[in-house]
């Protein structure tokens, strides 16, 4: 009898323990504010736990019910979720997907984990489901904010460039005109000095709101910077919308702007127009040329409108002297290479160097590539210069690798014109061959300007280079049209976040939003990220915290002549 009692007590105790365990189990699940699916391969049974019923009004007991779960998910996400749920088929052990639930319009994150036994057979599977709706909408809102200028509510420059690029593409098809009209408030500095920055901003804001009234399907406007606006007008019907808008602007500025402190202020504006196809096919160039025309208008007395024409550009380019000197320099090979180290953010280990060309003038002065590269691109001498740069950098790389014995990445800047040359790929491969350098040790930095004209042809060429193993890096990211859908299609390895973001990342919250969004995207697409122009420890710490992979900038090192780089290499060896 006592034996029986003992057994009974034991059973009770076990039961109690079990109930306790179960309670604990449920409490843990509930407090995790998540739902769980648990699948035991042994029993071929699925259980639902935690907040499951908050998200779904049915239970999942077997694999058939999983189909019901998939049906609840918005179509574009179904396949991804299916793949994650049946992860064991691929032999992987974890996956994470984010899906929109059709009816409830909530976003759920499914994190799947499969456990395997010693012989590699799956034993258990846990799906951890969390509601990330708030997070998702916040991200979207932030991204949305990143498209607009907070002062005027007009588009910001980046987004404007992107839309303008679309206009140009449409105009190519419909053989129509796209006008880019830059509008610059005259003597705005004086306004600012007289009224102060706050009222100055108010004026900009009011003028922006006025321009917004013209925006419709074929007209967009953006606040470029300080007192400068840009509008793009796609005119398939040829209705001279540009002239109409200019007339309306003139009408408006006859009246004063009334500011909140009661001040009435009269302004004049200088307007420059550049049109596709006459001025350029590239969105960025159209904006730059319109800006160039504005300078012209300002120089000839302000308060009027001018249209772009070739002589204006020629005048501008009449850094004639610079041009002749540059030509001589090409013949004399008066160039030299500097190299700027790049470091892995977390470990501060050396990742590689970027090759930056320098022009040594006759009197020994260094002429910055910022000055002469644009001219060299204009007159074509970038092609011979670029060839020399490639040969020199590859040769230097081969020497260093032999000398110091460790591989790193040599990044070389390539201009659009150079890249478009038919024999570019052959040329590069020959040089690599000659110096016995592996393609994977070389990275080509390209800017979006390379892509603008002929995306398909260029991305084919990139694919070819990448098939050879050459790394491709997208330079100055964020300054061009940076279309996200393009990025997905591009065969690139690395993305360089432009210095202009890094400059303001500590002071401007919206820059931080954009930088973080860019980084998230870079991660999602599986690229590597480089921040360039990092000058301050604070910037470095922030970039490290938000997961930027690589850092380049004066904080770590300026571009250096080869002997100085060697000292760094020697240091890396110890
Ligand atoms: P980039 O490709 O964006 O190169 C980065 C520029 O930022 C370099 O200027 C570099 O010296 C500078 N920089 C790097 N870190 C910092 C920093 O922390 N603070 C500041 N203020 N600046 C920093 P650099 O060498 O004057 O080159 C200017 C541009 O000229 C380059 O911009 C690139 O577009 C072009 N370039 C330079 N070398 C070549 C070349 O060999 N071929 C071609 N096609 N273009 C080149
Ligand atoms: Ca670069
Ligand atoms: Ca750059």
């Amino acid at each position: 009898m006592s034996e029986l009692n003992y057994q009974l007590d034991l059973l009770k105790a076990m039961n109690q323990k079990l109930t306790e365990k179960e309670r604990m189990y449920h409490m843990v699940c509930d407090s995790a504010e998540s739902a769980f699916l648990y699948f035991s391969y042994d029993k071929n049974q699925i259980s639902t736990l935690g907040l499951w019923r908050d998200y779904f009004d049915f239970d999942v007991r077997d694999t058939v019910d999983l189909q019901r779960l998939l049906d609840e998910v918005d179509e574009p996400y179904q396949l991804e979720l299916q793949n994650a749920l049946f992860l064991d088929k691929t032999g992987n052990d974890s996956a994470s997907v984010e899906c929109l639930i059709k009816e409830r319009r909530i976003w759920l994150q499914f994190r799947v984990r499969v456990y395997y036994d010693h012989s590699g057979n799956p034993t258990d599977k846990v799906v951890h489901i969390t509601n990330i709706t708030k997070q998702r909408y916040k991200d979207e809102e932030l991204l949305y904010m990143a498209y607009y200028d907070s002062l005027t509510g007009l588009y910001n420059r980046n987004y404007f460039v992107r839309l303008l690029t679309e206009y140009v593409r449409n105009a190519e098809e419909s053989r129509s005109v796209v006008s880019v009209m830059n509008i610059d408030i005259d003597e705005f500095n004086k306004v600012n000095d007289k009224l102060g920055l706050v009222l100055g901003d108010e004026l900009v804001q009011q003028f922006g709101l006025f321009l917004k009234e013209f925006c419709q399907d074929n007209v967009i406007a953006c606040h470029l910077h300080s007192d400068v606006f840009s509008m793009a007008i796609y005119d398939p019907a040829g209705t001279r919308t540009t002239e109409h808008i200019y007339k309306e602007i003139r009408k408006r500025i006859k009246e004063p702007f009334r500011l909140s402190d009661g001040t009435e202020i009269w302004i004049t504006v200088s307007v420059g127009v550049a049109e596709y196809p006459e001025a350029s096919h590239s969105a960025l160039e159209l904006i730059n040329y319109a800006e160039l025309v504005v300078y012209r208008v300002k120089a000839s007395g302000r308060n009027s409108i001018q249209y772009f024409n070739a002589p204006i550009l020629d005048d501008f380019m009449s850094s004639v002297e610079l041009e002749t000197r540059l030509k001589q320099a090409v013949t004399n090979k008066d160039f030299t290479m500097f190299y700027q180290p790049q470091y892995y953010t977390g470990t501060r280990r050396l990742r590689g160097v970027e090759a930056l060309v320098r022009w040594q003038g006759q009197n020994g002065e260094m002429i910055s590539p910022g000055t002469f590269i644009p001219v060299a691109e204009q007159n074509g001498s970038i092609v011979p210069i670029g060839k020399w740069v490639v040969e020199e950098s590859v040769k230097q790389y081969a020497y260093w690798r032999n000398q110091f014995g460790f591989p790193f990445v040599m990044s070389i800047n390539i201009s659009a014109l150079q890249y478009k040359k038919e024999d570019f790929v052959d040329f590069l491969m020959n040089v690599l061959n000659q110096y016995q350098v592996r393609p994977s040790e070389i990275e080509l930095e390209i800017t979006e300007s390379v892509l603008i004209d002929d995306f398909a042809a260029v991305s084919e060429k990139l694919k070819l280079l990448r098939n050879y193993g050459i790394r491709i890096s997208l330079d100055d990211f964020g300054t061009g049209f940076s279309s996200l859908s393009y990025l997905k299609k591009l065969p690139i390895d690395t993305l360089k976040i432009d210095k202009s973001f890094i400059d303001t990342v500590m002071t401007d919250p919206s820059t931080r939003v954009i930088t973080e969004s860019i980084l998230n995207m870079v991660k999602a697409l599986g690229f590597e990220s480089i921040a360039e122009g990092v000058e301050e420890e604070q910037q470095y710490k922030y970039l490290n915290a938000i997961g930027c992979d690589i850092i380049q900038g004066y904080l770590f090192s300026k571009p250096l002549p080869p002997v100085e780089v060697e000292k760094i290499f020697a240091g890396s060896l110890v």
Side-chain angles (χ1 to χ4, degrees):
M1 189 65 192
S2 72
E3 174 62 10
L4 207 64
N5 271 342
Y6 172 73
Q7 292 276 358
L8 207 67
D9 282 350
L10 197 66
L11 217 67
K12 266 189 198 157
M14 276 169 69
N15 242 336
Q16 195 181 351
K17 228 175 175 175
L18 263 175
T19 335
E20 262 171 25
K21 262 211 162 137
E22 200 162 327
R23 249 187 82 221
M24 183 177 82
Y25 205 51
H26 281 290
M27 266 157 52
V28 170
C29 287
D30 280 352
S31 67
E33 294 197 359
S34 305
F36 297 88
L37 275 177
Y38 169 73
F39 179 66
S40 152
Y41 285 80
D42 222 17
K43 303 194 185 89
N44 197 13
Q45 213 178 51
I46 304 181
S47 329
T48 50
L49 297 146
L51 304 185
W52 178 265
R53 279 294 181 159
D54 282 10
Y55 306 151
F56 303 102
D57 47 19
F58 58 90
D59 278 324
V60 175
R61 293 283 165 251
D62 54 36
T63 332
V64 181
D65 292 335
L66 283 179
Q67 187 52 48
R68 232 179 124 185
L69 174 62
L70 287 172
D71 289 342
E72 293 278 305
V73 170
D74 209 21
E75 239 165 74
Y77 308 97
Q78 280 180 2
L79 187 63
E80 220 184 330
L81 180 60
Q82 185 173 0
N83 288 340
L85 288 177
F86 296 99
L87 184 68
D88 39 303
K89 297 224 160 81
T90 60
N92 287 330
D93 60 4
S94 65
S96 169
V97 291
E98 295 180 359
C99 306
L100 180 64
I101 304 302
K102 262 192 278 197
E103 296 281 307
R104 300 191 182 200
R105 307 311 289 171
I106 53 172
W107 281 93
L108 296 181
Q109 181 187 43
F110 293 78
R111 274 174 289 173
V112 186
R113 176 107 203 225
V114 180
Y115 296 84
Y116 294 90
D117 63 15
H118 291 308
S119 29
N121 298 314
T123 54
D124 311 80
K125 178 157 58 183
V126 177
V127 184
H128 181 175
I129 305 160
T130 23
N131 188 343
I132 52 158
T133 313
K134 261 199 205 141
Q135 176 67 26
R136 271 306 278 232
Y137 285 135
K138 206 167 121 221
D139 282 353
E140 275 179 22
E141 199 180 309
L142 290 179
L143 262 179
Y144 176 88
M145 269 167 51
Y147 290 148
Y148 292 89
D149 166 61
S150 53
L151 180 63
T152 59
L154 298 174
Y155 290 126
N156 64 26
R157 184 179 189 276
N158 285 346
Y159 197 55
F160 179 75
V161 174
R162 201 166 134 187
L163 296 175
L164 174 58
T165 306
E166 272 167 36
Y167 273 14
V168 170
R169 238 180 267 142
N170 292 341
E172 256 161 8
E173 276 165 25
S174 60
R175 291 172 177 270
S176 40
V177 172
V178 177
S179 311
V180 173
M181 174 154 93
N182 279 21
I183 306 148
D184 187 320
I185 302 177
D186 291 330
E187 300 191 294
F188 182 70
N189 284 343
K190 284 194 187 158
V191 177
N192 252 348
D193 287 347
K194 208 168 90 194
L195 300 176
L197 292 178
V198 175
L199 291 180
D201 272 357
E202 215 179 283
L203 174 66
V204 169
Q205 198 172 33
Q206 284 197 22
F207 193 73
L209 279 177
F210 163 69
L211 292 183
K212 205 172 184 178
E213 289 170 18
F214 299 103
C215 295
Q216 32 161 315
D217 276 353
N218 293 333
V219 180
I220 48 174
C222 95
H223 180 207
L224 271 186
H225 52 89
S226 73
D227 60 322
V228 188
F229 298 85
S230 189
M231 298 183 82
I233 300 130
Y234 171 49
D235 222 348
T239 48
R240 309 305 306 163
T241 315
T242 313
E243 280 165 29
H244 165 74
I245 293 178
Y246 182 64
K247 271 193 197 137
E248 291 297 314
I249 293 176
R250 297 227 57 92
K251 232 195 260 171
R252 173 65 188 86
I253 61 177
K254 283 198 181 111
E255 301 294 321
F257 286 82
R258 284 189 187 83
L259 306 179
S260 59
D261 71 336
T263 318
E264 292 197 332
I265 179 154
W266 279 263
I267 59 166
T268 61
V269 294
S270 297
V271 178
V273 184
E275 290 182 330
Y276 163 88
E278 193 212 345
S280 170
H281 289 230
S282 127
L284 283 175
E285 258 178 24
L286 285 169
I287 298 173
N288 288 342
Y289 289 170
E291 185 87 339
L292 204 70
V293 182
V294 168
Y295 292 145
R296 247 324 163 83
V297 177
K298 297 237 176 209
S300 45
R302 300 186 276 266
N303 193 21
S304 71
I305 185 170
Q306 262 196 43
Y307 284 73
F308 173 89
N309 55 30
I312 293 187
L313 184 64
D314 289 349
D315 263 15
F316 181 73
M317 287 297 166
S318 83
S319 337
V320 181
E321 199 208 296
L322 184 61
E323 223 181 292
T324 9
R325 281 173 59 198
L326 187 57
K327 277 188 185 141
Q328 275 168 5
V330 173
T331 332
N332 302 343
K333 300 233 164 81
D334 286 337
F335 301 102
T336 172
M337 295 306 297
F338 273 41
Y339 300 90
Q340 186 176 31
Q342 302 174 329
Y343 293 89
Y344 288 108
T345 314
T347 56
R348 295 185 176 225
R349 228 167 19 88
L350 186 80
R351 181 254 188 186
V353 295
E354 175 177 6
L356 295 158
V357 70
R358 297 287 178 265
W359 173 10
Q360 254 167 330
Q362 260 129 24
N363 307 321
E365 79 279 16
M366 288 284 184
I367 301 167
S368 144
T371 321
F372 72 84
I373 295 279
V375 179
E377 280 174 340
Q378 205 63 38
N379 71 12
S381 47
I382 189 65
V383 176
I385 298 177
K387 272 192 167 171
W388 179 83
V389 165
V390 169
E391 279 169 353
E392 186 64 22
S393 322
V394 171
K395 186 165 85 184
Q396 183 65 266
Y397 179 83
Y399 171 75
W400 278 338
R401 208 205 31 215
N402 294 338
Q403 192 83 355
F404 295 96
F406 59 90
F408 57 97
V409 179
M410 171 67 82
S411 295
I412 307 174
N413 293 284
I414 306 290
S415 281
L417 204 60
Q418 224 177 324
Y419 188 76
K420 278 176 193 148
K421 285 270 160 200
E422 248 173 46
D423 64 352
F424 178 71
V425 179
D426 288 343
F427 159 74
L428 180 66
M429 296 316 291
N430 279 338
V431 176
L432 296 187
N433 216 355
Q434 186 187 344
Y435 293 103
Q436 295 289 296
V437 168
R438 278 191 293 269
S440 61
E441 291 158 338
I442 298 297
E443 181 169 75
L444 302 183
E445 294 197 5
I446 58 161
T447 57
E448 283 162 304
S449 59
V450 174
L451 303 163
I452 280 174
D453 294 342
D454 190 351
F455 185 83
V458 171
S459 67
E460 274 316 301
K461 210 173 222 176
L462 288 179
K463 272 184 201 140
L464 184 63
L465 285 165
R466 210 155 167 259
N467 283 344
Y468 282 122
I470 287 169
R471 307 172 61 89
I472 309 287
S473 166
L474 195 56
D475 203 357
D476 303 341
F477 185 79
T479 56
F481 68 144
S482 309
S483 158
L484 307 187
S485 55
Y486 266 34
L487 266 189
K488 255 199 217 161
K489 293 182 210 150
L490 272 179
I492 61 172
D493 303 272
T494 313
L495 193 142
K496 290 187 91 168
I497 303 170
D498 190 61
K499 178 174 181 304
S500 58
F501 289 96
I502 312 306
D503 284 345
T504 54
V505 86
M506 296 320 298
T507 49
D508 177 14
S510 70
T511 307
R512 275 201 292 279
V513 170
I514 302 176
T515 310
E516 285 168 31
S517 308
I518 294 177
L519 276 179
N520 283 339
M521 187 184 70
V522 168
K523 284 210 184 80
L525 294 171
F527 304 151
E528 236 180 356
S529 49
I530 304 187
E532 58 180 350
V534 180
E535 294 179 350
E536 292 160 14
E537 185 70 28
Q538 249 196 330
Q539 296 166 334
Y540 163 74
K541 281 194 179 134
Y542 168 71
L543 290 160
N544 188 22
I546 61 171
C548 178
D549 302 316
I550 298 153
I551 298 283
Q552 180 183 350
Y554 291 177
L555 177 67
F556 284 87
S557 171
K558 291 198 169 182
L560 302 169
V563 276
E564 296 293 324
V565 178
E566 282 162 18
K567 288 185 191 155
I568 293 182
F569 286 159
S572 302
L573 288 176
V574 288

